[in-house]
Amino acid sequence: MTEVGSTLEAGGTPEDWLPRLPSPALFLALAFALGEGIIGEGTASPHERFRLVPALIVAGALSLLAGAILLRLERDRLAVPATLTGLILAGAAAALLFAFRFPPDHVSHLKSWGVDVGRPVSLEGSLETDCILTPTGCEFDLEVTALRLGSRELQTHPASGRIRVQVAAARATASSAGTALELRSGDRVQAMMRLHRPHVALNPGSFDFRERAANIDDLYWEGTVEDPAQLHRLSNGRAPAAGRVIESVRARLRRAIDLLYPPWSAEGRDGAVLKAILLGDRTALDSATIDHFRVTGLYHLLVIAGLHVGLIAALVLGLLRLLGFRRRWRSSILLTILLAYALVVEQRAPTLRATLMLVIFILAQFLDRDHSALNSVGLAALVLLLTRPAWLFESGFQLSFAAALLIICLAAPILRISLQPYRNALLHLEDVERDTALTPRQAQFRLDLRMLVSVLQRSSALLNRHPAIAGRLVVWPPRLALWAAGMVMFSAILQVGLLLPMVEQFHRVTLAGVGLNALALPLMGVLLALAIPTVLLAIAAPSAAAWPAKLLTVAFHALFAVAEWPHLPTWLSYRVPPPPTWVAVGFAVSLVALAVSLGRHSLASGASLLAFAIFALTLAFAPFAPAVQSGAFEVTALDCGGGEAAFLALPDRSTVLIGAGGTGRGRPEFTAAKRWDPGENIVSPYLWSRRIKSLDVVVVTSVGGNVDGFLSILANFRVGELWFRDSDAGVASILEEAGRRGVRIRAISPGDILRLGATVFEILAPSAPAPGAAVGATPLIIRVTTGDATALVAGSASIHAQQRILESSRGARTLILANGHQTLVWALGRNVPSAAGIPVANRPEAGVREDYNLTESSLLDSRLFATDRDGAITVEIKGRAVRIWGFRESAFRDLTDGAAAAKP
């Protein structure tokens, strides 16, 4: 909240060393970020681009030197572009150097050392964090010090780097599991573990978890200790160091929260949210809570950012004022508390941004310097980008700085112009002489209020004897109304201003957030005011914290009531695809133009506001045609990590989704906590990348454990029809949700023939289920025929069943077979399969031919397409042209006879 007040007011005196720019630090940060952004978009390999570093450093240094000399010579018009050019070159050099930050002994180079990462590896190291409980065991960060390539007696090899280790305690004996879970920060351990890179779905639109882990967290590998008996403590934690003390404080705070709200109790959700808002630890949050906060536009409350830091700073300053501390002492104590808090909580860009801005403000007060909020934003951005250039592409960094700029450049000026005059008019209402310093409208407002005070005094003898009470009765209602109006306007400006990054990164439009944030922000202030002393009391005197914890529970219930607003209309929170580039650029440019012209040029402000409104409405309604060709038949098998999902685009531009991904290869603790949903995390991003908002048909294949995947598809897209089998177990909840959303439901059975335009769907009888298999576990096989092209979507059917269906499909000019085992093989010829699927084992081509009874002459190209290697695989048939490609650039084949077709 302090960001809205005087702490972050826009404006400020221009700095002497860059006089042509009103907020020089901001422009320097923008130039540095521009350099990082340009070099980050390069297509050449990092080693090729690294050759540019010496030239960039020399050119940047010369540009900065030229800027300093020109400034000394008072040639300001030349000094400014020279300085900005130097910062652009410096940003480019920093981005290139960041890619080579790991030393030669870092674990990211394991493969170059000849280590077979497909087999368990023995590692030694020290715990950077305590072993934190997860639904499947525990998790900790290990700072590696040594690597063993053989038995424990062999000589160790020095190594460095951090690995996030998951210990599957659920598979261990009680004694070994207890040993793993009792590990503390600083303990030296040796463990045999399997290393793997964070999983990335190789589909268009998928979020790159692997790149984020490496660039933001310096986590190149994740490790899994499958048996805790293979995890040995070599020594206990060493003498307390800075890191050990910080982790010890974190651990005590977590234990205090668990004591107040045990994770296994009914109040466990309160504790999970409290860890998120106080420590930035979101590992204990369940998917339902996360979804509720996202749908209502309140998820930012679960992420420590400027709001939390500002509220804590306001609470500390208020307490220090009550205790009678003078200004400098208040600032010193607040500075110490802010720095300590920033060390204890998660080291994320939003937290560090808010802390740095407040630190800059406090230091400016100590030095008796004018404070420019835009300069504070620029200095904070420069510090963060110099420390870690990859933050420029991280959503938390972008949203945090975008919110800060919106508050400074739009929210604060608009509130100051519209509401602040009336707040000023309410001060000292009895002082008539103040009227002369106000505008006629404000003076008339004060006269009206005085008349109302007179009416109240005449109507009551008590109020006549106590005119101050009558004055308060008149003044406080408009003050509350102005405060409420300010909260709504503040929330609306932020919600609309952040529409572009929310749509680009999260594909969500949340109109409900405008009103609900106005309710939630005051609740958040109350909750933090109660939570901080309650948790500290739980550490010092646990028994004394019981009653404050009950009061804190009431605050949590109020916050959850807002976050779980009952019967929220769909149009208040919905999903949309990302916009075209011209819409994104138009939105950003019009928003900047509005901020620059606000209060300066009324005509420019009006034109900018109109343009901004048009682009904002375009973003919100997303009236963009889906990227689906007319007259083409397309089948895309998505990389679902072992699950199945096939997207079909028919010649009449109808769209069909068969399957929703399966359980996939999400992190085990996420899957156990229902935080990994392939429908949300894999299938939906792909469809949004095609700008698809509706699906004509969704086919529920074998449900298995993927009910959530189909529910996400129904929630994220307008679905015309839902096809399902009566025998599928677990389909009831899917049908209930489909009925609630008005989706037409159609039961299908083997032998059914359905039509969608000119395309025919045949439900083929699958092979008999294995003995003891669950009802509905037999995979569904669907034959799709349009013109002389046929596609078989075989799910995870056996090779025998697929071969039998292939035999019945002879006669099709082009045939595609896609199954659910993440591999697609293709061939071309008349009366033979033109594309066929095999199990995940990546069998050699000879094995494929043998399985599917294909001869050498039937294969014009023996290229094996595998989704786990090539990514999402698309086969497109348009007229006589047949093309197949994978998500990765190397996976492309043109099968068109006599002509070369361009890759899309």
Side-chain angles (χ1 to χ4, degrees):
M1 295 300 294
T2 56
E3 289 179 328
V4 191
S6 60
T7 303
L8 296 180
E9 287 186 353
T13 303
E15 298 292 337
D16 295 334
W17 59 279
L18 204 55
R20 292 293 178 181
L21 299 179
S23 300
L26 176 64
F27 284 91
L28 294 180
L30 289 174
F32 192 86
L34 178 61
E36 291 185 347
I38 292 173
I39 208 70
E41 296 297 328
T43 57
S45 68
H47 289 279
E48 292 174 345
R49 292 189 290 163
F50 184 71
R51 300 173 186 173
L52 299 173
V53 171
L56 290 172
I57 292 176
V58 171
L62 291 176
S63 295
L64 292 174
L65 179 61
I69 294 173
L70 290 169
L71 190 63
R72 183 71 175 176
L73 297 174
E74 298 183 355
R75 303 293 298 273
D76 299 340
R77 293 184 181 276
L78 296 177
V80 169
T83 303
L84 295 181
T85 301
L87 264 294
I88 293 174
L89 297 172
L96 290 175
L97 290 172
F98 182 74
F100 296 89
R101 65 194 179 280
F102 296 139
D105 65 346
H106 193 270
V107 290
S108 61
H109 306 300
L110 278 181
K111 288 186 177 180
S112 64
W113 302 346
V115 177
D116 182 7
V117 294
R119 305 179 62 183
V121 177
S122 178
L123 294 171
E124 288 184 14
S126 300
L127 270 70
E128 281 196 345
T129 64
D130 287 355
C131 197
I132 301 173
L133 287 172
T134 67
T136 57
C138 74
E139 179 181 281
F140 59 85
D141 286 353
L142 181 70
E143 183 63 35
V144 178
T145 56
L147 165 72
R148 289 194 177 98
L149 300 179
S151 65
R152 297 178 64 184
E153 288 74 21
L154 291 181
Q155 184 178 2
T156 59
H157 300 269
S160 65
R162 190 155 56 100
I163 294 176
R164 183 152 295 164
V165 181
Q166 302 162 28
V167 183
R171 298 179 53 186
T173 62
S175 58
S176 61
T179 302
L181 298 177
E182 291 173 1
L183 292 172
R184 295 287 181 260
S185 172
D187 290 351
R188 290 189 62 249
V189 298
Q190 181 271 327
M192 185 70 69
M193 67 183 71
R194 289 188 178 274
L195 298 178
H196 53 87
R197 298 294 305 280
H199 172 62
V200 177
L202 301 177
N203 303 310
S206 292
F207 180 73
D208 197 339
F209 293 97
R210 183 177 299 171
E211 183 179 5
R212 186 192 185 283
N215 290 337
I216 304 302
D217 301 321
D218 284 339
L219 287 170
Y220 193 83
W221 296 103
E222 291 180 343
T224 301
V225 179
E226 297 176 347
D227 183 0
Q230 296 180 328
L231 175 63
H232 308 280
R233 182 191 282 115
L234 302 179
S235 65
N236 292 327
R238 299 186 297 272
R244 171 69 174 166
V245 170
I246 292 171
E247 185 56 36
S248 175
V249 172
R250 289 192 189 118
R252 294 191 68 180
L253 290 170
R254 281 194 294 263
R255 286 195 292 270
I257 294 173
D258 288 339
L259 181 65
L260 293 171
Y261 306 106
W264 57 85
S265 68
E267 294 81 17
R269 183 172 66 158
D270 298 356
V273 173
L274 189 54
K275 290 177 185 177
I277 64 177
L278 278 187
L279 304 177
D281 180 5
R282 295 182 293 279
T283 56
L285 292 173
D286 62 277
S287 60
T289 300
I290 292 174
D291 288 342
H292 287 312
F293 277 81
R294 280 178 175 165
V295 168
T296 52
L298 302 178
Y299 183 73
H300 63 96
L301 299 181
L302 302 179
V303 181
I304 296 179
L307 170 68
H308 301 69
V309 177
L311 286 173
I312 290 174
L315 293 172
V316 171
L317 283 177
L319 178 62
L320 294 176
R321 285 194 184 97
L322 288 176
L323 296 177
F325 285 90
R326 294 184 177 180
R327 183 176 66 85
R328 287 190 175 272
W329 275 106
R330 291 199 305 265
S331 298
S332 301
I333 296 172
L334 177 61
L335 182 62
T336 303
I337 291 176
L338 286 176
L339 293 176
Y341 182 68
L343 290 173
V344 171
V345 301
E346 61 172 357
Q347 303 296 302
R348 297 297 184 195
T351 311
L352 297 177
R353 189 272 305 167
T355 304
L356 282 171
M357 288 186 65
L358 284 174
V359 167
I360 292 169
F361 171 72
I362 294 171
L363 292 178
Q365 283 189 324
F366 273 120
L367 298 174
D368 294 324
R369 294 293 303 273
D370 291 334
H371 173 254
S372 168
L374 288 178
N375 276 336
S376 297
V377 172
L379 287 174
L382 268 177
V383 170
L384 294 182
L385 291 177
L386 281 169
T387 305
R388 185 167 294 273
W391 259 331
L392 179 64
F393 306 100
E394 199 260 333
S395 61
F397 179 93
Q398 296 171 2
L399 286 170
S400 178
F401 278 93
L405 291 173
L406 279 170
I407 292 171
I408 297 168
C409 299
L410 277 180
I414 290 175
L415 292 175
R416 187 165 55 244
I417 294 171
S418 59
L419 300 182
Q420 191 60 42
Y422 291 96
R423 291 196 183 106
N424 295 337
L426 292 172
L427 298 175
H428 307 290
L429 187 61
E430 70 284 354
D431 187 357
V432 179
E433 293 182 358
R434 291 177 62 92
D435 295 0
T436 57
L438 302 175
T439 64
R441 183 175 297 179
Q442 297 167 17
Q444 183 61 48
F445 179 57
R446 289 169 63 87
L447 287 173
D448 294 339
L449 293 179
R450 290 195 196 103
M451 290 179 61
L452 184 57
V453 171
S454 300
V455 171
L456 289 177
Q457 288 178 325
R458 288 196 301 269
S459 64
S460 171
L462 176 63
L463 295 179
N464 190 38
R465 289 194 302 271
H466 301 281
I469 297 178
R472 292 190 183 96
L473 290 175
V474 169
V475 168
W476 276 107
R479 280 184 178 172
L480 290 175
L482 288 172
W483 176 82
M487 292 297 299
V488 173
M489 291 177 63
F490 176 78
S491 177
I493 292 168
L494 283 184
Q495 290 290 316
V496 178
L498 294 176
L499 186 60
L500 177 60
M502 292 297 294
V503 169
E504 287 276 9
Q505 298 172 15
F506 305 108
H507 310 287
R508 185 177 291 281
V509 175
T510 312
L511 302 178
V514 174
L516 295 181
N517 269 287
L519 294 175
L521 293 181
L523 281 174
M524 197 66 182
V526 173
L527 196 151
L528 286 174
L530 293 172
I532 295 173
T534 301
V535 173
L536 295 178
L537 187 60
I539 295 175
S543 58
W547 282 104
K550 294 182 183 297
L551 189 59
L552 182 58
T553 299
V554 175
F556 272 120
H557 289 171
L559 181 63
F560 293 148
V562 176
E564 300 169 6
W565 196 267
H567 310 298
L568 186 69
T570 305
W571 61 270
L572 285 177
S573 183
Y574 55 93
R575 313 302 291 273
V576 293
T581 303
W582 65 270
V583 176
V585 172
F587 180 92
V589 170
S590 60
L591 183 60
V592 172
L594 177 60
V596 171
S597 61
L598 186 66
R600 296 180 177 90
H601 305 285
S602 57
L603 182 60
S605 297
S608 300
L609 180 59
L610 177 61
F612 175 71
I614 292 173
F615 284 112
L617 290 173
T618 304
L619 275 174
F621 290 102
F624 319 119
V628 176
Q629 290 191 63
S630 177
F633 178 45
E634 174 192 325
V635 178
T636 300
L638 298 181
D639 173 25
C640 296
E644 59 184 62
F647 171 73
L648 280 65
L650 308 183
D652 62 356
R653 302 188 71 180
S654 297
T655 53
V656 179
L657 178 67
I658 302 178
T663 55
R665 291 178 298 189
R667 290 175 57 175
E669 70 272 22
F670 282 5
T671 304
K674 295 184 179 180
R675 289 175 60 184
W676 177 258
D677 175 1
E680 171 70 25
N681 300 103
I682 293 179
V683 181
S684 291
Y686 169 76
L687 296 176
W688 285 319
S689 74
R690 303 285 300 270
R691 294 182 189 150
I692 289 172
K693 295 187 294 182
S694 61
L695 293 164
D696 293 286
V697 175
V698 171
V699 183
V700 179
T701 55
S702 180
V703 175
N706 189 30
V707 173
D708 290 337
F710 288 103
L711 294 178
S712 293
I713 297 300
L714 290 171
N716 294 338
F717 303 91
R718 294 191 299 271
V719 177
E721 289 190 9
L722 184 79
W723 298 354
F724 76 101
R725 288 187 300 177
D726 289 325
S727 58
D728 279 338
V731 77
S733 58
I734 300 174
L735 298 181
E736 180 182 354
E737 180 66 15
R740 191 179 71 83
R741 294 182 177 273
V743 179
R744 293 188 299 274
I745 299 173
R746 176 178 293 187
I748 56 177
S749 303
D752 288 351
I753 298 178
L754 304 96
R755 294 183 180 275
L756 193 61
T759 303
V760 178
F761 292 79
E762 299 176 74
I763 313 302
L764 305 178
S767 57
V775 177
T778 306
L780 194 66
I781 302 178
I782 300 177
R783 178 158 50 198
V784 186
T785 304
T786 179
D788 56 358
T790 297
L792 291 172
V793 182
S796 54
S798 65
I799 291 178
H800 174 71
Q802 294 182 43
Q803 176 64 28
R804 182 165 55 84
I805 301 301
L806 281 170
E807 292 292 337
S808 68
S809 301
R810 290 186 180 275
R813 183 182 68 83
T814 304
L815 188 143
I816 306 162
L817 173 61
N819 68 10
H821 288 294
Q822 69 190 79
T823 306
L824 190 69
V825 179
W826 57 268
L828 178 66
R830 187 172 298 279
N831 299 329
V832 297
S834 68
I838 63 168
V840 69
N842 282 353
R843 294 166 56 89
E845 282 75 359
V848 175
R849 300 188 192 104
E850 180 181 349
D851 285 340
Y852 291 100
N853 194 23
L854 300 174
T855 62
E856 184 72 29
S857 60
S858 69
L859 293 170
L860 298 186
D861 194 320
S862 60
R863 173 75 162 87
L864 176 68
F865 279 83
T867 55
D868 61 341
R869 181 189 64 202
D870 301 316
I873 301 169
T874 300
V875 181
E876 180 192 90
I877 304 170
K878 188 172 185 180
R880 306 296 296 181
V882 181
R883 296 182 297 173
I884 181 169
W885 66 87
F887 176 63
R888 288 191 168 168
E889 291 294 327
S890 59
F892 174 68
R893 288 292 184 276
D894 179 12
L895 311 184
T896 306
D897 295 331
K903 181 180 178 182

